[in-house]
Amino acid sequence: MNIILLGPPGAGKGTQARRLVDERGMIQLSTGDMLREARTSGTPMGKQVAAVMDRGELVTDEIVIGLIAEKLDGDKAGGFIFDGFPRTLKQADALGQLLDGRGEKLDVVIEMQVDDEALVDRVSGRSTCGSCGEVYHDTTKPIPADGKCSVCGGTEFKRRADDNAESLKTRLFEYYKQTSPLIGYYYAKGHLRTVDGMGEIDAVAAEIKAVLG
Ligand code: AMP
């Protein structure tokens, strides 16, 4: 099964994708994570995209489509979860072609709906485990009192450079301008399902489970 998690920054796409990886053996393809990795390892592409990402703008379609194309040729396991991709109509078309070319199909696009005001809180309190990527939040899911990640025991936690009010404003603007047209695009193809992303992590996971069966 191949699915897309669609929603604004802070909607909980990464958190829900990780659950699907654990529970269904699916493979999470997060272009945001791939780009951050490229930055950390200092590749020329990583250097090229750094400032754009910090401002909250989108990197070029060519770069992210290339990243996804590479990963589609790897392990497929329980199917792919596209997290943060596609973000433009051009990327959506490219994904359709990439899947077609590999004899695969897209099964469902899950739109996670969250109020804009909630996104600011979610994004500004967010941190992740530096070892396994588990996501924490200052108020809703604090780092355990012993300072160790509850999943892997890691003790280093990172905050994203673009998780600040100024970048979030740009990221939301980009979402509404460039990504939200995908809602109509996938609705027209009969792929779209919508879940309420405002609830607790478990409640949202249950809704996603109901959609996926
Ligand atoms: P994310 O982790 O999905 O919030 O992505 C972080 C940042 O990486 C975004 O604000 C963009 O600058 C860039 N990015 C991630 N995925 C894409 C994409 N599919 N298209 C363009 N830019 C992307």
Side-chain angles (χ1 to χ4, degrees), residues 5 13 28-39 45 49 53 58-69 71 81-88 91 95 160:
L5 294 181
K13 302 185 294 293
Q28 177 185 11
L29 296 185
S30 157
T31 39
D33 285 349
M34 294 174 207
L35 292 166
R36 279 184 287 278
E37 235 171 76
R39 287 181 65 170
M45 184 272 279
V49 298
M53 289 177 74
L58 295 189
V59 311
T60 65
D61 289 329
E62 288 66 29
I63 288 178
V64 288
I65 292 166
L67 288 170
I68 289 289
K71 300 282 179 178
I81 308 159
F82 298 96
D83 160 12
F85 179 93
R87 262 176 157 99
T88 64
Q91 292 175 25
L95 177 61
R160 285 171 45 168

